[in-house]
Structure formats: C-alpha cells, structure tokens
Amino acid sequence: MNTSKIALGGGCHWCTEAVFLSLRGVQKVEQGFVSIKEDKNNFSEAVVVAYDRTIISMMDLISVHLHTHKSTSEHSFRNKYRSAVYVYLEEDFKQATSILNQLQSDFEQKLVIKVYGFGKFKPSEEQFHNYYYANPEKPFCETYISPKLKTILSKFGKLADSKKINAAHVMT
C-alpha cells in the first residue's frame, strides 16, 4: 500500500470529513483544526486525509475538494474556514500548486484556495467525529452535506464509495 497524507480545509470539518470518507482509496479522515507551518498558532477547520495513492491521486482529492466547498469565494468566515491544501512534503507543495493551476480552468472565477506547509493538528471533539455517517438524517446533514455527496456521485462517480453513500440514503 502506498499511503500519503494531505490536509484540506475550506468549510465545516463535518462536511469536509464526510466528503473524503465517501471516496474510494481514502483510508482515514481526521477532522479538527490545522495550522500553517509559518504560523502554528493560527488554526482553521480542516481534515487530515490518509489515502492510498495507487487508488486515488492527489489530483483527484484536490479536484473533489474544489468542487465541494466555496473555493472561489472570499467570504467573512475565511479565517475559520481557510480554503487550503496543507502538505507535509516540499515535493507535494509543488505538485499541489501545479494541480491548482491546472484545475483553475474548471472555474469561471479565480480560485482563492492556497497551498500551505502543514503546521499542527488539533482534533475536534470525539462526539463530532464521523458526524454525517452517524447522523445522515439530521437537518444540518441533509441541508449541507448530502448535496456535496450528490456532487461526488454525479461529477466524480468513479471515485465514490457508492455503497457507503447509498447506505446513508443520498439519492442522485
């Protein structure tokens, strides 16, 4: 197995966690708060994703991420929800930057997402882990997370863990 790690932020970590738990090749998702390498005390909601790069690529993960959060929007909550790719290795920094440049053509507006060196991680409270799959029928989940999973099924079907998503009663 070829395991790699990347952290991604952009919206609520409940939402982001559900998105990445719904993909084939993702081995583990930890939700919480991530800081950037240059400022280890400046945390933003994010997830750490461990994935098997023989099944899913960094390009796939970043593409899904861009299409499942407001990656072109500078809004008032960007400090809490930094639109980011956090990498652990210098070569991943270059690769992620190149991927973002390639994927810009998928969007009419300019992407606001940035690539950062990974700083620190603080997990969220245990009660919030696996929030969507433990509570798929809660109003928050139906309103905010289910549409993201529908996007995965319709736009990234080959990457989706369809059994898992369908078990949560997400309909296309």
Side-chain angles (χ1 to χ4, degrees):
M1 197 173 332
N2 291 305
T3 301
S4 293
K5 279 176 44 173
I6 191 170
L8 301 154
C12 159
H13 48 49
W14 297 353
C15 297
T16 311
E17 174 192 52
V19 164
F20 292 100
L21 283 175
S22 301
L23 300 176
R24 293 181 321 99
V26 171
Q27 299 163 335
K28 183 178 181 182
V29 179
E30 297 175 87
Q31 65 156 269
F33 306 87
V34 172
S35 69
I36 61 176
K37 187 176 183 180
E38 295 77 21
D39 185 359
K40 292 186 178 159
N41 295 315
N42 184 358
F43 288 88
S44 183
E45 289 193 26
V47 295
V48 175
V49 178
Y51 64 101
D52 182 340
R53 63 182 179 261
T54 64
I55 299 172
I56 191 165
S57 68
M58 182 189 292
M59 169 78 99
D60 292 331
L61 292 170
I62 291 174
S63 186
V64 167
H65 185 52
L66 292 175
H67 289 279
T68 56
H69 84 282
K70 295 180 178 177
S71 58
T72 60
S73 174
E74 279 291 1
H75 52 72
S76 61
F77 290 103
R78 270 295 167 228
N79 286 338
K80 182 177 180 180
Y81 304 122
R82 185 183 299 128
S83 185
V85 175
Y86 304 90
V87 297
Y88 292 79
L89 305 170
E90 184 61 36
E91 59 264 25
D92 288 347
F93 189 96
K94 292 174 185 170
Q95 183 181 3
T97 301
S98 174
I99 289 168
L100 288 176
N101 288 333
Q102 291 172 56
L103 293 174
Q104 175 62 62
S105 64
D106 289 356
F107 299 87
E108 290 181 21
Q109 296 177 311
K110 182 155 175 50
L111 293 170
V112 298
I113 192 167
K114 303 261 190 281
V115 180
Y116 298 100
F118 179 87
K120 289 189 207 172
F121 177 74
K122 294 191 302 192
S124 61
E125 295 176 39
E126 184 75 30
Q127 68 187 13
F128 299 121
H129 296 186
N130 198 31
Y131 188 80
Y132 177 80
Y133 283 106
N135 307 284
E137 288 156 15
K138 285 202 171 190
F140 179 88
C141 294
E142 289 180 344
T143 302
Y144 296 103
I145 302 174
S146 289
K148 294 173 188 298
L149 301 186
K150 288 177 185 174
T151 297
I152 290 171
L153 288 171
S154 66
K155 190 164 181 66
F156 302 99
K158 69 179 178 62
L159 302 175
D161 184 339
S162 300
K163 282 188 209 172
K164 189 171 196 176
I165 294 173
N166 290 331
H169 308 291
V170 174
M171 301 298 168
T172 55

